[in-house]
Amino acid sequence: MVKEAAIPSTGQGPSNDGRTNLAAVGNLAVKCVKCKEILYGRDLDKNLKVCPRCGYHFKLTAQERIALLVDTNSFVETDTNIISTDPLNFATRSQSYAAKLAEERSTTGLNEAVVSGHATIDGLPLALAVMDFRFIGGSMGSVVGEKITRTIELGLEKKFPVLVVSTSGGARMQEGLYSLMQMAKVSAALARLGEAHLPYFSLLTDPTTGGVTASFAMLGDVILAEPGALICFAGPRVIEGFMHIKLPDGAVSSEFVLQHGMIDAIVHRRDLRHKLSQLLHLYMKR
Ligand SMILES: [Zn+2]
């Protein structure tokens, strides 16, 4: 349910110059979502978009995330030209899915909700796919599933470990069953990676929910999360609306899922690259 199209590269090859390349908020004042502090944009940029007062981790774009994690100029983007065929010819009263996709492409500069390729961290290679929440809430349709599967297959082919950075509202309803099928497809590719004794690292960022949580996000050999990220299958509002109960504060956070043994570690944004480097050395340097 995807096709190759002559659409220019999404990422324009992020120059991934570490900390300096996060899209600048600049001189703007930004209000912290969590502590409501008014922050000076430049201070926030310097702090990797983490609130200096309460530690809230603002969302990053896929390019920002790649710049933060991998060696300078090492990222090579792959599968840049895959787009959805809109298999259900889906439309709401206000807009067709095809029009929605075109709009998202133009506002985000991305082709889809994931950017994939290969890169190095401290000189050690890996295949990686990084989701971007700006594109229809990081939802997983056939293209996202296909690109992540191809990233895993790239790892298999080149004997690279695989990293997927998740941020997602779940499966994309506009592609119905085709979105749900991606859960099985990606999971099957990960099983093959496991059989080949290649490690899979999953990094969960705010928010990781729905079909993404229920498939590849939780299948990592090592599962890391950023502090305070929403991590769940059904979001708190859905649970509260359905069950008519009030969830305790933080019941669907990284800290909660760590406490309940679902993930391996919570890592502050500034330490992520170092942690991944340690893992790559541990698993791959023999
Ligand atoms: Zn704050």
mmCIF file of all heavy atoms in Angstrom, residues 26-27 108 124 128 143 146 178 194 202 204 230 239 242 255 266 280 284:
data_model
loop_
_atom_site.group_PDB
_atom_site.id
_atom_site.type_symbol
_atom_site.label_atom_id
_atom_site.label_comp_id
_atom_site.label_asym_id
_atom_site.label_seq_id
_atom_site.Cartn_x
_atom_site.Cartn_y
_atom_site.Cartn_z
ATOM 1 N N GLY A 26 15.234 30.543 19.111
ATOM 2 C CA GLY A 26 15.742 31.900 18.971
ATOM 3 C C GLY A 26 15.310 32.807 20.108
ATOM 4 O O GLY A 26 15.354 32.424 21.264
ATOM 5 N N ASN A 27 14.875 34.003 19.744
ATOM 6 C CA ASN A 27 14.576 35.004 20.764
ATOM 7 C C ASN A 27 13.158 34.890 21.317
ATOM 8 O O ASN A 27 12.750 35.666 22.162
ATOM 9 C CB ASN A 27 14.763 36.405 20.175
ATOM 10 C CG ASN A 27 16.215 36.637 19.823
ATOM 11 O OD1 ASN A 27 17.099 36.208 20.543
ATOM 12 N ND2 ASN A 27 16.444 37.294 18.711
ATOM 13 N N THR A 108 5.462 20.268 7.053
ATOM 14 C CA THR A 108 6.579 19.694 7.827
ATOM 15 C C THR A 108 7.857 19.559 7.007
ATOM 16 O O THR A 108 8.938 19.420 7.568
ATOM 17 C CB THR A 108 6.224 18.277 8.342
ATOM 18 O OG1 THR A 108 6.007 17.420 7.206
ATOM 19 C CG2 THR A 108 4.996 18.291 9.222
ATOM 20 N N LEU A 124 30.721 3.737 15.432
ATOM 21 C CA LEU A 124 30.091 2.415 15.266
ATOM 22 C C LEU A 124 28.796 2.559 14.465
ATOM 23 O O LEU A 124 27.940 3.378 14.810
ATOM 24 C CB LEU A 124 29.797 1.792 16.635
ATOM 25 C CG LEU A 124 31.027 1.431 17.461
ATOM 26 C CD1 LEU A 124 30.637 0.987 18.865
ATOM 27 C CD2 LEU A 124 31.834 0.328 16.769
ATOM 28 N N LEU A 128 18.949 3.263 11.526
ATOM 29 C CA LEU A 128 18.011 3.895 12.450
ATOM 30 C C LEU A 128 16.793 4.480 11.748
ATOM 31 O O LEU A 128 16.861 4.870 10.579
ATOM 32 C CB LEU A 128 18.695 4.973 13.300
ATOM 33 C CG LEU A 128 19.108 6.311 12.687
ATOM 34 C CD1 LEU A 128 19.366 7.320 13.812
ATOM 35 C CD2 LEU A 128 20.342 6.183 11.851
ATOM 36 N N VAL A 143 3.296 3.497 5.100
ATOM 37 C CA VAL A 143 4.639 3.994 4.770
ATOM 38 C C VAL A 143 5.563 3.915 5.988
ATOM 39 O O VAL A 143 6.718 3.479 5.883
ATOM 40 C CB VAL A 143 4.583 5.445 4.234
ATOM 41 C CG1 VAL A 143 5.980 5.979 3.995
ATOM 42 C CG2 VAL A 143 3.777 5.490 2.945
ATOM 43 N N GLU A 146 6.474 0.364 6.470
ATOM 44 C CA GLU A 146 7.382 -0.090 5.409
ATOM 45 C C GLU A 146 8.792 0.458 5.624
ATOM 46 O O GLU A 146 9.783 -0.265 5.488
ATOM 47 C CB GLU A 146 6.832 0.348 4.045
ATOM 48 C CG GLU A 146 7.678 -0.035 2.846
ATOM 49 C CD GLU A 146 7.750 -1.537 2.612
ATOM 50 O OE1 GLU A 146 6.910 -2.287 3.162
ATOM 51 O OE2 GLU A 146 8.672 -1.976 1.893
ATOM 52 N N TYR A 178 -4.754 -1.580 7.024
ATOM 53 C CA TYR A 178 -3.392 -1.544 6.472
ATOM 54 C C TYR A 178 -2.402 -0.988 7.499
ATOM 55 O O TYR A 178 -1.234 -1.347 7.500
ATOM 56 C CB TYR A 178 -3.357 -0.707 5.189
ATOM 57 C CG TYR A 178 -4.173 -1.322 4.085
ATOM 58 C CD1 TYR A 178 -5.437 -0.834 3.779
ATOM 59 C CD2 TYR A 178 -3.689 -2.417 3.370
ATOM 60 C CE1 TYR A 178 -6.202 -1.410 2.788
ATOM 61 C CE2 TYR A 178 -4.449 -3.006 2.368
ATOM 62 C CZ TYR A 178 -5.704 -2.493 2.086
ATOM 63 O OH TYR A 178 -6.457 -3.078 1.108
ATOM 64 N N GLY A 194 16.516 -10.660 15.409
ATOM 65 C CA GLY A 194 16.892 -11.416 16.603
ATOM 66 C C GLY A 194 17.546 -12.740 16.237
ATOM 67 O O GLY A 194 18.558 -13.134 16.826
ATOM 68 N N SER A 202 15.333 0.293 21.296
ATOM 69 C CA SER A 202 14.129 1.104 21.128
ATOM 70 C C SER A 202 14.200 2.286 22.078
ATOM 71 O O SER A 202 14.441 2.104 23.274
ATOM 72 C CB SER A 202 12.898 0.232 21.428
ATOM 73 O OG SER A 202 11.729 1.017 21.351
ATOM 74 N N LEU A 204 11.977 5.371 23.480
ATOM 75 C CA LEU A 204 10.612 5.890 23.549
ATOM 76 C C LEU A 204 10.650 7.356 23.959
ATOM 77 O O LEU A 204 11.282 7.721 24.940
ATOM 78 C CB LEU A 204 9.796 5.104 24.582
ATOM 79 C CG LEU A 204 9.945 3.582 24.554
ATOM 80 C CD1 LEU A 204 9.050 2.943 25.597
ATOM 81 C CD2 LEU A 204 9.622 3.035 23.175
ATOM 82 N N LEU A 230 4.948 10.279 27.907
ATOM 83 C CA LEU A 230 3.702 9.515 27.980
ATOM 84 C C LEU A 230 3.926 8.193 27.250
ATOM 85 O O LEU A 230 4.237 8.191 26.060
ATOM 86 C CB LEU A 230 2.576 10.310 27.315
ATOM 87 C CG LEU A 230 1.219 9.617 27.232
ATOM 88 C CD1 LEU A 230 0.518 9.634 28.574
ATOM 89 C CD2 LEU A 230 0.323 10.289 26.192
ATOM 90 N N ILE A 239 -8.891 6.013 28.710
ATOM 91 C CA ILE A 239 -9.134 5.090 29.828
ATOM 92 C C ILE A 239 -10.163 5.695 30.789
ATOM 93 O O ILE A 239 -11.130 5.032 31.189
ATOM 94 C CB ILE A 239 -7.819 4.784 30.590
ATOM 95 C CG1 ILE A 239 -6.808 4.100 29.664
ATOM 96 C CG2 ILE A 239 -8.090 3.908 31.808
ATOM 97 C CD1 ILE A 239 -5.421 3.931 30.256
ATOM 98 N N PHE A 242 -13.668 5.710 29.272
ATOM 99 C CA PHE A 242 -14.244 4.380 29.091
ATOM 100 C C PHE A 242 -14.547 3.704 30.427
ATOM 101 O O PHE A 242 -15.596 3.104 30.618
ATOM 102 C CB PHE A 242 -13.266 3.529 28.271
ATOM 103 C CG PHE A 242 -13.811 2.195 27.870
ATOM 104 C CD1 PHE A 242 -14.824 2.093 26.918
ATOM 105 C CD2 PHE A 242 -13.320 1.034 28.445
ATOM 106 C CE1 PHE A 242 -15.336 0.862 26.555
ATOM 107 C CE2 PHE A 242 -13.834 -0.209 28.084
ATOM 108 C CZ PHE A 242 -14.836 -0.290 27.134
ATOM 109 N N GLU A 255 8.394 6.887 34.002
ATOM 110 C CA GLU A 255 8.759 6.473 35.354
ATOM 111 C C GLU A 255 7.874 5.309 35.804
ATOM 112 O O GLU A 255 8.346 4.359 36.431
ATOM 113 C CB GLU A 255 8.617 7.662 36.326
ATOM 114 C CG GLU A 255 9.654 8.773 36.118
ATOM 115 C CD GLU A 255 9.454 9.619 34.852
ATOM 116 O OE1 GLU A 255 8.358 9.551 34.247
ATOM 117 O OE2 GLU A 255 10.389 10.326 34.449
ATOM 118 N N ILE A 266 15.543 5.025 32.068
ATOM 119 C CA ILE A 266 15.154 6.369 31.655
ATOM 120 C C ILE A 266 16.442 7.170 31.538
ATOM 121 O O ILE A 266 17.265 7.164 32.457
ATOM 122 C CB ILE A 266 14.209 7.007 32.693
ATOM 123 C CG1 ILE A 266 12.900 6.207 32.739
ATOM 124 C CG2 ILE A 266 13.943 8.469 32.356
ATOM 125 C CD1 ILE A 266 11.958 6.649 33.825
ATOM 126 N N LEU A 280 26.204 0.185 21.995
ATOM 127 C CA LEU A 280 26.786 -0.306 20.736
ATOM 128 C C LEU A 280 28.127 -0.990 21.009
ATOM 129 O O LEU A 280 28.430 -2.045 20.438
ATOM 130 C CB LEU A 280 26.983 0.851 19.748
ATOM 131 C CG LEU A 280 25.701 1.413 19.130
ATOM 132 C CD1 LEU A 280 25.994 2.690 18.361
ATOM 133 C CD2 LEU A 280 25.055 0.396 18.206
ATOM 134 N N MET A 284 28.344 -4.778 20.054
ATOM 135 C CA MET A 284 28.917 -4.961 18.720
ATOM 136 C C MET A 284 30.428 -5.066 18.675
ATOM 137 O O MET A 284 30.991 -5.513 17.692
ATOM 138 C CB MET A 284 28.474 -3.823 17.790
ATOM 139 C CG MET A 284 26.991 -3.762 17.580
ATOM 140 S SD MET A 284 26.227 -5.325 17.070
ATOM 141 C CE MET A 284 26.768 -5.459 15.375
#
